[in-house]
Amino acid sequence: MIQSYINTLTTLPTNSSSVTFQTDCIRTNSCGCNNCRSWLCHNSGSAGYNIVEGGLYEIDFNATVSSATAGVVAFGLFNNGELIPGTLMAETLGAANDYVNIGIDKKIRVCCKGNANITVQAIPTVPTADTPTTPITTQVPIILSANFSLTRLNG
């Protein structure tokens, strides 16, 4: 298992940027670096969590976020650059500098000969309920606090 966090005000560069976690507060022996024999490779300060062994994994992300502009902020989990289905989460800020909470909880399977590079990214556009084919542009997120954890469920 690995758990990372952000505990300082962090403005993402764009509304499509990856979230970089500077600190890993929990890291089991199975969460090594590139030269270790482990199922996960992650370096502090990196946005990517590289799962290098097949299995079932649980991913949790939760954050308190804002924006300098009223509107929608959105995040999703990505696997090798592709949005993982069912992980797009969006909230509407009624005014600039309002705060909302966003949470994502997802289980994924990695094939035995495959790997997965997991990232949390801001989503630049989201569909609207009344006109889904006309997406709206999201705002650049400001993260007040965030937690990310990745747990191997079987092995």
Side-chain angles (χ1 to χ4, degrees), residues 51-57 79 108-116:
I51 300 170
V52 295
E53 286 188 9
L56 185 63
Y57 297 89
N79 178 3
I108 64 166
R109 177 169 302 284
V110 176
C111 295
C112 60
K113 296 294 182 188
N115 70 356

Side-chain angles (χ1 to χ4, degrees), residues 38-78:
S38 63
W39 58 267
L40 177 70
C41 297
H42 177 258
N43 294 316
S44 293
S46 168
Y49 293 78
N50 195 21
I51 300 170
V52 295
E53 286 188 9
L56 185 63
Y57 297 89
E58 183 169 23
I59 305 165
D60 290 300
F61 168 74
N62 60 69
T64 301
V65 299
S66 185
S67 180
T69 308
V72 175
V73 290
F75 290 89
L77 295 176
F78 286 73

Side-chain angles (χ1 to χ4, degrees), residues 97-109:
N97 302 316
D98 278 358
Y99 283 102
V100 294
N101 292 312
I102 288 185
I104 302 169
D105 178 21
K106 183 72 173 177
K107 291 176 181 67
I108 64 166
R109 177 169 302 284

Side-chain angles (χ1 to χ4, degrees), residues 11-22:
T11 302
L12 295 185
T14 69
N15 67 345
S16 63
S17 295
S18 295
V19 177
T20 300
F21 292 88
Q22 298 297 329

